[in-house]
């Protein structure tokens, strides 16, 4: 468990397979379905829907970045809980992995509304991964 002071947030990221992260941070930026949302200590409590994109944690001058595959965030007091299908540290993403995800997404059928929605979500996921990867090389 992360050691948290009254001036820091405890950030917990959980996937169906495991807890990916449990540590303290000064600030968290969440990729919400309607844009990014920054969270500092003292933020009002909320539950929100996440979009595929970049989760950023900042502690002092140190930053950590992750690609998360949508899900939900819960903020209460000094705790930020992130429930997501997938979380990958930004430095673990590769151009080959992003290309594979994009190719697979574009190959999905889109013959009916359900297939179009599935394909759209897969394309958004690949685009989110590409953005996180590009920020790491910029």
């Amino acid at each position: 468990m992360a050691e948290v002071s009254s001036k820091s947030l405890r950030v917990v990221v959980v996937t169906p397979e495991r807890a990916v992260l449990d540590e303290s941070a000064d600030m968290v930026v969440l990729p919400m379905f309607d844009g990014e949302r920054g969270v500092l200590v003292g933020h009002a409590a909320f539950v929100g829907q996440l979009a595929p994109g970049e989760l950023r944690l900042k502690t002092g001058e140190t930053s950590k970045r992750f690609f998360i595959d949508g899900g939900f965030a819960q903020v209460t007091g000094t705790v930020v809980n992130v429930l997501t299908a997938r979380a990958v540290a930004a430095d673990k993403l590769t151009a080959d992995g992003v290309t594979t995800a994009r190719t697979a997404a574009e190959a999905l059928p889109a013959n009916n509304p359900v297939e179009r929605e599935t394909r759209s979500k897969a394309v958004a996921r690949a685009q989110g991964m590409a953005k996180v990867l590009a920020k790491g090389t910029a």
Side-chain angles (χ1 to χ4, degrees), residues 53-54 65 93 98 102 126-136:
E54 183 181 48
R65 302 169 42 248
L93 291 174
V98 171
R102 182 179 291 131
Q127 289 172 337
M129 290 173 67
K131 286 179 184 178
V132 173
L133 180 64
K135 279 187 175 182

Side-chain angles (χ1 to χ4, degrees), residues 3-11 23-29 38-43 56-64 77-78 80:
E3 191 173 315
V4 178
S5 74
S6 62
K7 295 181 182 179
S8 65
L9 298 163
R10 177 178 177 207
V11 183
E23 61 186 63
S24 64
D26 297 332
M27 180 174 118
V28 178
V29 179
V39 177
L40 298 167
V41 170
H43 195 289
R56 297 188 309 271
L57 286 72
K58 184 169 181 172
T59 305
E61 298 300 316
T62 306
S63 292
K64 288 188 178 184
T78 59
V80 177

Side-chain angles (χ1 to χ4, degrees), residues 109-130:
N111 300 318
N112 60 54
V114 172
E115 288 179 346
R116 282 191 291 276
E117 180 68 17
T118 300
R119 184 179 192 275
S120 175
K121 287 180 180 180
V123 168
R125 184 177 307 115
Q127 289 172 337
M129 290 173 67

Side-chain angles (χ1 to χ4, degrees), residues 15-16 31-33 49-55 66-71 84-88 93-108 114-134:
T15 68
M32 306 303 291
F33 78 98
Q49 184 179 354
L50 297 166
E54 183 181 48
L55 170 72
F66 294 83
F67 166 76
I68 60 169
D69 190 8
T84 183
R86 182 173 170 210
V88 180
L93 291 174
T94 65
D96 288 342
V98 171
T99 300
T100 300
R102 182 179 291 131
T103 301
E106 291 170 352
L108 290 171
V114 172
E115 288 179 346
R116 282 191 291 276
E117 180 68 17
T118 300
R119 184 179 192 275
S120 175
K121 287 180 180 180
V123 168
R125 184 177 307 115
Q127 289 172 337
M129 290 173 67
K131 286 179 184 178
V132 173
L133 180 64

